[in-house]
Amino acid sequence: RGETDDHSSVRFFEMGMDAHIDRRVLIEKRLRRAVACDAIVSHYQPLVSLDDNRIVGFEALARWNDDVLGEVSPEAFIPLAEEIGLIGVLGDHLFRRACADARHWPGNLFMAFNVSAIQLKDPDLVDRILAVAAEHGLSPARLEIEITESVMVERVDEARSTMTRLREHGVHIVLDDFGTGYATLAQLLSFPLDKIKIDRRFVTHVVTDRHSLVVIRAIVGLAKGFGLISVAEGIEDPEQLSCLKRNGCTQGQGHWFGQAVPAAGIEAVLAKNITTPSPRYRPGTKGE
Ligand code: C2E
Ligand code: MG
Ligand code: MG
Ligand code: MG
C-alpha cells in the first residue's frame, strides 16, 4: 500500500511540475509579446508631504493586463523580465512613456521611477535617461530613481557610479523598501542618496507592533541625521498616518492617499488634492 501511495504522489508531483512549467512557458511567451507591442503601461501613485497633505509627486508603477492571463502583478513579471533579459527594453519603454506623461504635470511635481539592479549595470543608462528626459522637456531635478538594496549585491562600484552620475545631473536617488534587504548600513550609506523609503511591512504594523515602531523611529532618525527625506510606503489608515507624522516622517504614500491611477486620471487626483488636501483627514478636523 505504501508503495502505491509513493508512486501516486510522485506522479502527482510530476503532473504538478508539468502544469507549473506550462504556465511559466505561457507567461514568458505572453510577456515577450507584451513587451514587443508595448502592452505594458505605467500607472501613477501619489506621494504626499506629511506636513500639509499636498501631493509632491507620483511614482510610476508598471501594469500589465494581458488578454489571456488577465492582470499580472509586477511582483511577478518584473523579476521574470529581468531573468529573460527583457527588463532593459521594458524599462526604457516605460521610462519614455512616463516622461511623456509627466511633462503635463505641474512643474513642482516629481516623477519617481523604479530601476532594477540589472538596469544599473548598463553603462549607457545615464545618457539614455538624461536624453529622454530632455526630449520631453523634463528637468532631471524632477526625476527620482528608486533602487533597492539588491543593487548592493554585485558590481556595487558600477551601480554607485551610475547613481553618482545621475545625481550630479540633479536626479534624486531613493532607496526603496528600506529595512528588508541584506545590505549593511555602511554599504547603504556609501551610496549617494536623497531619500529613504520605509518598507511597507513596518508601516502596516506601526500601530500594533512595538518593534515596527522602533524600526520606523530609527529609520526616520537615520534619514534626518544624514539630511535625507524619509517616506513611508503603504499607509492605509489614519492611525498609521498620524503615527508617522508624530514620529517626524517627511512624506507618505499608500492607499489612504490614493492607489496608482492611469495617466488620464492624474488631473482629477490633483484637482481634488488642491481643493481639499487629504479630504478625510485635514489638520484641525476631528481625529488630527
Ligand atoms: P515598490 O516600488 O516598492 O512599489 C510599491 C508597491 O506597493 C506597489 O506595488 C504599490 O502598488 C504598492 N502599494 C502602495 N501603497 C500601498 C498600500 O497602501 N497598500 C498596499 N497593500 N500596497 C500598496 P506594485 O505596483 O504591485 O509593484 C510592486 C513592485 O514591482 C514595486 O515595488 C517595484 O519594486 C516593482 N515595479 C513596479 N513597476 C516597476 C517598473 O517600472 N520597473 C521596475 N524595475 N520595477 C517595477
Ligand atoms: Mg518603488
Ligand atoms: Mg517600495
Ligand atoms: Mg516593494
Side-chain angles (χ1 to χ4, degrees), residues 110-274:
F110 63 77
M111 190 270 282
F113 193 81
N114 295 283
V115 166
S116 77
I118 292 170
Q119 292 170 274
L120 284 180
K121 290 173 196 156
D122 177 348
D124 300 325
L125 180 76
V126 175
D127 291 339
R128 282 207 311 280
I129 285 180
L130 295 173
V132 170
E135 224 176 280
H136 292 88
L138 212 60
S139 156
R142 288 182 57 198
L143 293 178
E144 297 197 347
I145 296 296
E146 299 198 359
I147 56 166
T148 64
E149 290 177 48
S150 61
V151 305
M152 320 281 169
V153 175
E154 55 172 15
R155 291 164 72 181
V156 178
D157 293 337
E158 274 166 274
R160 191 188 290 106
S161 91
T162 301
M163 312 276 48
T164 304
R165 282 179 59 212
L166 283 170
R167 198 152 179 270
E168 280 164 5
H169 285 90
V171 177
H172 291 200
I173 310 297
V174 184
L175 182 58
D176 205 349
D177 303 340
F178 184 68
T180 59
Y182 298 95
T184 66
L185 267 183
Q187 282 174 313
L188 293 171
L189 296 170
S190 76
F191 264 67
L193 296 176
D194 297 281
K195 196 187 261 199
I196 295 180
K197 229 183 211 194
I198 305 167
D199 192 75
R200 190 168 80 216
R201 78 179 64 177
F202 303 115
V203 176
T204 302
H205 299 113
V206 68
V207 179
T208 51
D209 168 42
R210 169 99 198 138
H211 287 117
S212 295
L213 179 60
V214 170
V215 169
I216 285 182
R217 283 184 175 151
I219 298 175
V220 169
L222 192 71
K224 275 216 173 78
F226 284 97
L228 309 176
I229 289 174
S230 52
V231 46
E233 65 177 19
I235 299 177
E236 292 183 344
D237 62 49
E239 289 75 29
Q240 292 165 354
L241 172 59
S242 76
C243 186
L244 285 152
K245 282 187 179 182
R246 229 179 9 253
N247 285 286
C249 188
T250 326
Q251 295 175 356
Q253 178 181 22
H255 294 166
W256 177 255
F257 298 113
Q259 304 204 11
V261 298
I266 293 235
E267 218 174 315
V269 171
L270 287 174
K272 202 170 155 201
N273 185 246
I274 286 162

Side-chain angles (χ1 to χ4, degrees), residues 27-40 64-66 86 90 93:
I27 296 177
E28 200 179 306
K29 195 176 125 206
R30 298 298 302 175
L31 182 59
R32 287 185 193 283
R33 188 177 172 281
V35 170
C37 57
D38 290 353
I40 300 177
W64 177 27
N65 192 353
D66 185 68
L86 286 180
L90 175 60
H93 156 70

